[in-house]
Amino acid sequence: MKFARLAIAACLLALGSLPASAAGVDKLYVLYCGEGVGADQSRWSPGVNVGVPLAVSDNCYLIHHTQGGWFLWDTGFPDALAATPDGVSAAGGALHVKRTKTLTAQLDEIGVKPSDIKAMAISHTHPDHIGNVELFPQAMLYVQKAEYEWPGENGAPRFKSEHPVTKLEGDHDVFGDGSVVIISTPGHTPGHQSLLVRLPKTGAVLLSGDAVHFKDNWDNRRVPALNFNKEQTLASMQRMADILAKEHAQLWINHDKPQSEAQKKAPDYYE
Ligand SMILES: [Zn+2]
């Protein structure tokens, strides 16, 4: 009887420990996906720091889920940009952008083939975020319906119609266990989204996308003049602030260069 009870207890322990150790996210890599210099910071902060240049980072984030496999958040500037090491002028001369290392090379360094990536999401459809979507033609793309259907230049579609897609209308729990949750944060673009990642050691991290571009704008709730909708942007920032408080989460701002430079980069990772 005693042995039977012990055996049952051991069995329960084994079962009980399995989901806890085998579920969820175990790795988050910050990948270099380009960089840029804006000639005038006030492009993003109306009336503030007029004529002062601003250097920006451009990151992608690769997440490993113990059951769901590899998930990519944002894809950065196209890898082809790396063929021009000095970079190119963009946004009508308002920006100078470059990419000194490809996304493919960084994936290769950590032993991940593009075909290993089963799912991906982009914060929005600006060129510094969607440049490599078609490196992963097999990956399920999670995007807000409002962003997917937002007409591009001359009414062109923003994605290839054959790319597998899940069109969202609001938040989405990617793996169904709360470890990776897409958070709808419209305003910068019609269907902009951010990503909440709950890491076992680092804790919760909210990946901003371009809901905010750098810390000073976050601290002062400044909205770039080029944003699609100012009121939506402010409401999204408030929603993010509420999530940060509730989750005791860190806000990782994609384009904030000082913050990005202080972060571990692939092949190193956060757990
Ligand atoms: Zn951007």
Side-chain angles (χ1 to χ4, degrees):
M1 187 62 193
K2 203 176 181 184
F3 287 112
R5 253 189 216 158
L6 275 175
I8 288 166
C11 202
L12 284 173
L13 272 175
L15 284 171
S17 66
L18 255 179
S21 60
V25 165
D26 59 352
K27 291 177 189 141
L28 186 159
Y29 295 85
V30 182
L31 303 158
Y32 166 89
C33 273
E35 59 190 293
V37 177
D40 180 358
Q41 193 199 112
S42 70
R43 176 184 166 86
W44 298 278
S45 56
V48 177
N49 288 327
V50 179
V52 177
L54 177 75
V56 293
S57 49
D58 188 25
N59 297 326
C60 303
Y61 304 84
L62 181 68
I63 294 160
H64 186 256
H65 187 277
T66 49
Q67 269 117 50
W70 295 105
F71 177 88
L72 182 66
W73 172 250
D74 272 340
T75 69
F77 283 115
D79 273 1
L81 183 59
T84 312
D86 291 338
V88 298
S89 174
L95 286 164
H96 190 85
V97 301
K98 64 179 179 179
R99 157 156 225 157
T100 57
K101 197 172 185 183
T102 63
L103 175 56
T104 317
Q106 290 170 84
L107 292 177
D108 191 48
E109 214 176 339
I110 55 181
V112 174
K113 296 189 294 291
S115 59
D116 293 336
I117 293 175
K118 303 299 177 217
M120 67 197 297
I122 46 95
S123 58
H124 64 298
T125 52
H126 284 160
D128 49 328
H129 299 264
I130 59 160
N132 294 302
V133 167
E134 290 309 325
L135 270 182
F136 315 97
Q138 77 293 336
M140 174 55 69
L141 174 68
Y142 292 93
V143 59
Q144 297 293 320
K145 187 166 175 274
E147 191 78 6
Y148 193 89
E149 292 176 355
W150 185 33
E153 230 172 296
N154 301 318
R158 290 180 182 264
F159 298 97
K160 286 196 170 173
S161 60
E162 62 267 32
H163 197 116
V165 64
T166 302
K167 296 175 200 169
L168 307 173
E169 291 177 79
D171 298 350
H172 181 69
D173 182 349
V174 177
F175 298 106
D177 60 3
S179 60
V180 178
V181 185
I182 292 169
I183 307 286
S184 171
T185 51
H188 180 59
T189 60
H192 186 279
Q193 50 190 15
S194 303
L195 193 73
L196 178 66
V197 186
R198 293 189 175 101
L199 288 157
K201 292 185 185 161
T202 308
V205 171
L206 183 59
L207 304 178
S208 65
D210 287 7
V212 61
H213 289 77
F214 48 91
K215 189 175 180 297
D216 197 45
N217 267 11
W218 172 256
D219 291 342
N220 294 285
R221 295 290 189 272
R222 291 195 194 105
V223 178
L226 294 166
N227 273 19
F228 177 75
N229 184 304
K230 185 176 179 178
E231 286 66 40
Q232 277 187 343
T233 305
L234 289 168
S236 290
M237 281 202 238
Q238 186 54 52
R239 181 152 188 244
M240 292 164 74
D242 294 344
I243 290 170
L244 293 175
K246 181 168 172 270
E247 300 283 335
H248 306 288
Q250 303 172 43
L251 177 62
W252 287 7
I253 303 175
N254 191 325
H255 289 312
D256 188 296
K257 195 165 188 181
Q259 187 190 44
S260 293
E261 281 181 341
Q263 288 171 338
K264 292 189 268 195
K265 292 279 160 39
D268 209 350
Y269 57 85
Y270 290 87
E271 292 177 271

